[in-house]
Amino acid sequence: MTTPIWSVNAASGAATTTPSATASTSAPAASSTASSAGGLALDPQAFLQLLVAQLQYQDPSNPVDTSSFMQQTATLSQVQTMSSMASTLTSLVTAQQAQAATDLIGRSVTYADSAGVQKTGVVTSVSLHSTGATVSVGGVDVPFTSVVGVSAATPSTTP
């Protein structure tokens, strides 16, 4: 008797009820799943483990169809490509945020402090951290994401 290995929608991470392949009941269950906002999604390593288990425990009198195997291999390649693209996009967003934060130096910004009160000041410096950019406004470090408004700094009047 065989049990289905359910397909995973790579775009939403949601499991569907359409079986994409079958594996013998004696095959070990894969326990490596990652939880995502849309549901459970197989990571590439778990997908590969399932594919190997399917080949290892297939019925010799009824081997896996070659086209099915190639489709599963192509799906693995697509998952890996999408993972790589997501990583690249994250890096691009971080770089864009750093550029935008550095462009604020010398400008007047309005931001919401930890109590939710809006304050205004001139950005004197920017710090880039793994958690995101922070701008220094009047000696206070403010997360870049807390900035709600930007304007040209008012010139200071010095005698």
Side-chain angles (χ1 to χ4, degrees), residues 4-142:
I5 299 174
W6 305 105
S7 65
V8 174
N9 183 342
S12 68
T16 62
T17 56
T18 305
S20 63
T22 56
S24 170
T25 55
S26 61
S31 61
S32 177
T33 57
S35 183
S36 66
L40 293 178
L42 288 177
D43 64 353
Q45 185 63 34
F47 184 86
L48 188 59
Q49 288 174 343
L50 285 172
L51 191 60
V52 169
Q54 177 183 358
L55 291 174
Q56 185 178 7
Y57 294 101
Q58 70 180 331
D59 181 6
S61 64
N62 186 17
V64 174
D65 181 28
T66 308
S67 64
S68 173
F69 178 74
M70 292 305 292
Q71 179 185 12
Q72 291 170 355
T73 304
T75 301
L76 174 62
S77 176
Q78 288 174 342
V79 168
Q80 289 172 331
T81 300
M82 286 189 298
S83 175
S84 174
M85 287 174 52
S87 175
T88 300
L89 284 174
T90 300
S91 296
L92 286 173
V93 167
T94 302
Q96 190 275 336
Q97 185 184 48
Q99 178 64 42
T102 57
D103 286 345
L104 294 179
I105 296 175
R107 294 187 177 239
S108 178
V109 296
T110 301
Y111 64 94
D113 67 3
S114 59
V117 177
Q118 288 194 354
K119 296 185 177 181
T120 302
V122 176
V123 176
T124 56
S125 66
V126 173
S127 299
L128 304 175
H129 306 282
S130 61
T131 56
T134 59
V135 294
S136 180
V137 181
V140 177
D141 286 337
V142 178

